[in-house]
Amino acid sequence: MRAQRMQRTLLSLVLRLLLLCTVATGKCSGKYHELLLQLQRQADLMQDPSTLLDPYIRLQGLHSPVLQEHCRERPGDFPSEDALWRLSRQDFLQTLNTTLGLILRMLSALQQDLPEPTNAEMNVRGFGNNIHCMAQLLSGSSDPKAAEPTQPGPGPTPLPPTPPSSTFQRKLRNCGFLRGYHRFMRTAGQVLRGWGERQGRSRRHSPCRALKRGARRTRPFPEVRRLAPRGQPPR
Amino acid sequence: MRSSTKKRRDPMALFAVLQTTFLLALLPLRTYQSEVLSEPLPLTPESLNVSINSTKQCLHLQWTVHNPDYHQEFKMVFQIQISRFKASNVIWLENYSTTVKRNQVLHWSWESELPLECAIHFVRMRTMVDDARIPAPRLWSNWSSWEKADAQNSLGDHPLYVFPKDKLVEEGSNVTVCYISRNHQDNISCYLEDVLIYGRQLDQNVWAFEFKNVSFIRKTGTNFYCKGQGDPEGVVLLVSKVLEEPRDFSCETQDLKTLTCTWDPGNDTGLIQLPSYTLFESFSGKKTLCKHRNRCDWQVTQDSQEMYNFTLVAENYFRKRSVSILFNLIHGVHPMAPYSLFPKSVSATNATVTWKVYSIGSSSALLCQLQLLGEGKVIQQHNISVRVNGEYLLSELKPDTEYMARVRCAYADHFWKWSELISQNFTTAEAAPSEAPDVWRDVTFVSGHPTVTLFWKPLSKVHANGKILFYNVVVENLDEPSSLKVLSVPAPANSTKVTLNQSSYQIYVTAHNSVGPSPASAVAISGHPGNENVEEGRMNGTEDGFPMSWKPQSRNATGYVVEWCDSPQHLPCVLRWKNLGPTNTDTVISSGAFRPGVRYNFRIYEISTKRMAHLLEKKAGYLKELAPSYNPKVNMSNLTSHSFTLSWKDYPTESQTGFIQGYYVYLKSKTGEKCHRGFEKTFLTDNSVCCKYTIDNPDQKTFVVKDLQPESAYEFLVTPYTSAGEGPLDDFRKVTTPDEYSHILIHIILPMVFFVFVIMIICYLKSQWLKDKCYPDIPDPYKSSVLSLIKFKENPHITIMNVNDCVPDAIEVVNKPEGSKMQFVGTRKSPTETKVGCLGQDNTFTVSLYSCDGITVKGYVEWEFLSGLAGALSLWTNVCQAPTCCVAVFSHARVPFPSLCPTTLNVYLSYF
């Protein structure tokens, strides 16, 4: 068992290094729609409870209706749906990136409690890379700094939930966290699909053209803000 | 409930040893002091402090004893009382004996089965000196004051708590869980793995649940939780399976440098925390923590230690298991498998194999076992002593045969265990076939010339010694020795056809592989057909095949051959034969292709010294006779009111599923009459009754059913029978016998019908004559035979009335110039006058038309007599042919006027 855990840790480490290497040397796709579609698919994949939440519930014996009722997302763990819809594209991507960092830390802590093998961590990292590419595409920047891969690292907010003292409470807490994770990814997917729909409706405005137009202005993403679904609070 | 003193014995034991040593050292002093301590010392425990260890669920007591004599140490007994909820509720009383030194701080622990957080505990104690140096009476001191242990003080303000947190227990043990509800109004429900359970109330707000003999559910623990108004609270019981004692603990070495000890750890304890395994060697005093749960490596030291006393200790939170073995290094050598095993110099019958071994030590040899396997079986086995390289010559091998060479080695100084096997396949080279092919022939004569089909059996692998490439057939004409005919038939063909003339021949067949030919098989053929008129005998098959015997014809026979077809029902025949020696006069022919219900025909030949075959006998038989599978198609004929004839001449008796011994004729009558002579009453499978007639001659294929009732319905069936039974009884045909007189009627009616038919033909052929005779267009009363008859029979005076004697009442001519058929062409004029004359003597009358050039006239006459008789006649036409004719006379319009005079005679004319 200990050996398996060691092997798993080693494998995880190797995969991380490989991923870092790929990200460091890989180039982002310059095709907006292709990237957006990829992000949507990744979000769809990660919102599926059968990938993490369901196995966790089964493994921890939390399937009773009483416990299911209390396996719920805690407020503050993830940005709400309203908040995500209100964000500009730039801020949305930034929020996603930050939240993915939190998710990665939680997944790492949960590794022992999850059935193996799970690709959740790899999925999160891949999603983060595409978010970076999308951010780069939207900014239209050739700045090497901007081209750096967005590593879903420790963000300023939110902080990871404090682990409860007892194992039972930790089980419920993790369960709620995973439920929130899937909800968050589902909402993120919907927002990303909203991008595609609005882009389709305003086909006359090519994102690149719009962004180039915006780049000539002082505001970084004016068109993006204009396209934000529920308006953008003045800064 | 148990005391912690019982649990962790190791530190206590160490402490006891030290204490004993210390007391022995102080013995002289103690002897001196015993004289001083002459009175009992009522010592009271002081500074009793009670603390709670939530992790271990223990109450920890700490106290001192005031000893007025600073140099004394005493053996004392401490009686400890523990109460729960209230001081008066004593739940535990224990005497704890120990030796007390001056100012010593004493400790004692007590593990509670009820989580300490769920109840307030009270502790007090008293002491008594229990030392031999102190004279009796020994009195208990006063009780100390009650000390309170209240873990609830440290709890927060949650409405519900469940304890103990994260309890680690062993499968099969008992666990008590409790909850504290701060809200008395709250209705708390508790569940163990989704099952609602009910506990025991300990206090106003405390409930306990006792689980006996807990079992392992999952690695992540068993969930127990309670739910009130708010969020659920719960605990996870981490249940560990009982740690098993390692089984099959053994050690071995492959190279005398490293020992590998292995064992079967048994079932997993099921917890994330794995048990540890430690290997301890008592002679060297060394130990190592094993990295695997079923294997441990031990480095052999350089000091030539041969004997090892290993103890393997498996340990987890609850248990410690150990097993030991005494191990001699030399006796546990399990060499590594040899390597580089190769065959070399492989011929048809020999091969040399080489291999290498890993050396053990500097001078040790290995005993290697070389096995040769053919078709999966060990056929040779050799033991060879090897230091580094092994080599062995394998002989007596078969050509073109695949072999497997296997090698394993063991430590030669002390055999303990073979190494793993390594193996290598090789195939020996080919050699010429060692045996002549088994050849037989089938001779047919076409226009007096023999056509020989030669058959041969493929050589067995043992005799082929390689892949047979072709067969050579040499035909030698014995009458013309110089003429040889050579045929080459490529493999895998097993037959060829040769057309010969009427000479005698000797045919030789050889099989060839890549190395050379086999010995030849010879067959002699006579140019003339032999005696085929041999009567066929019958025989019965058995489970083993067809046993048969024959009588030799010649004393010089070199052998016998029995031939047959494996599947005679399928064409062409697959010819089989069996060679038998000259002394054999019987054999059993068996074949996997033989099937029950199939007729097999065997021909037995005698082989002469000149390899000529003469037909001895023919035999036919069934491996097992079956009942006929179908019935013959029966024709019914000669049906009369009392009999009919059945025949089934097309039914082939030769190709049935058994020897046809005869036929049964079944007859059923609707009326259920008695069976006729020769029939016997029988019951069919449907319990119906019918009559059965047995024909015991298989060649009789007709049968007359007699003595039947006229106008009766019968059903009949003809079915063959063999020794195994009769055919299916499911196709009865119906027949109804005719009326007894119907044949007579037929004899009368048929000629009559024929006669009428002839008459009709004659009438048709003579219709004109008949018409003229019987019903002419214009009847002539004078020519009427009827009239003559009347005249002759009834009234000889009756005569034909002369119309001239009649005076018609009126004669009227109606012209219809507007009639649709009235046509006037050109300038023709309608007739201006018509005149109908009176009937002439011959019943004619004349109509005169004027200006009727080229007119066609049609007339219609009707008449009526006074007697009421009336008639009409559409008759005559005439054409005025002469242009100058202006009068058309119809002189031949005949009216069948009898002698009566018509009262009215109307003549209508139309002309066009």
Side-chain angles (χ1 to χ4, degrees), chain A residues 1-5 56-72 74 112-114 116 164-172, chain B residues 165-166 191 193-194 218-227 229-236 238 268 271-276 289-293:
Chain A
M1 198 69 184
R2 193 177 296 165
Q4 282 179 351
R5 206 184 318 150
Y56 183 81
I57 287 173
R58 193 169 55 249
L59 197 70
Q60 301 291 340
L62 302 175
H63 36 263
S64 78
V66 175
L67 295 181
Q68 284 287 291
E69 186 188 336
H70 292 274
C71 170
R72 56 189 171 220
R74 299 282 173 95
Q112 212 171 44
D113 296 332
L114 285 170
E116 49 186 333
S165 56
S166 80
T167 305
F168 180 77
Q169 289 302 332
R170 195 161 58 247
K171 282 185 176 187
L172 279 184
Chain B
K165 299 292 182 191
D166 304 341
Y191 303 85
E193 285 294 317
D194 314 338
R218 66 177 75 85
K219 278 191 171 185
T220 55
T222 304
N223 298 323
F224 172 86
Y225 54 94
C226 297
K227 170 91 170 60
Q229 295 293 332
D231 290 341
E233 282 291 333
V235 294
V236 176
L238 296 167
D268 186 7
L271 287 185
I272 296 170
Q273 294 84 9
L274 296 173
S276 66
L289 185 64
C290 302
K291 292 176 183 172
H292 308 280
R293 64 188 292 260

Side-chain angles (χ1 to χ4, degrees), chain B residues 639-651:
Chain B
L639 177 64
T640 69
S641 54
H642 293 288
S643 67
F644 57 85
T645 303
L646 303 175
S647 66
W648 54 95
K649 292 184 178 174
D650 296 335
Y651 188 68

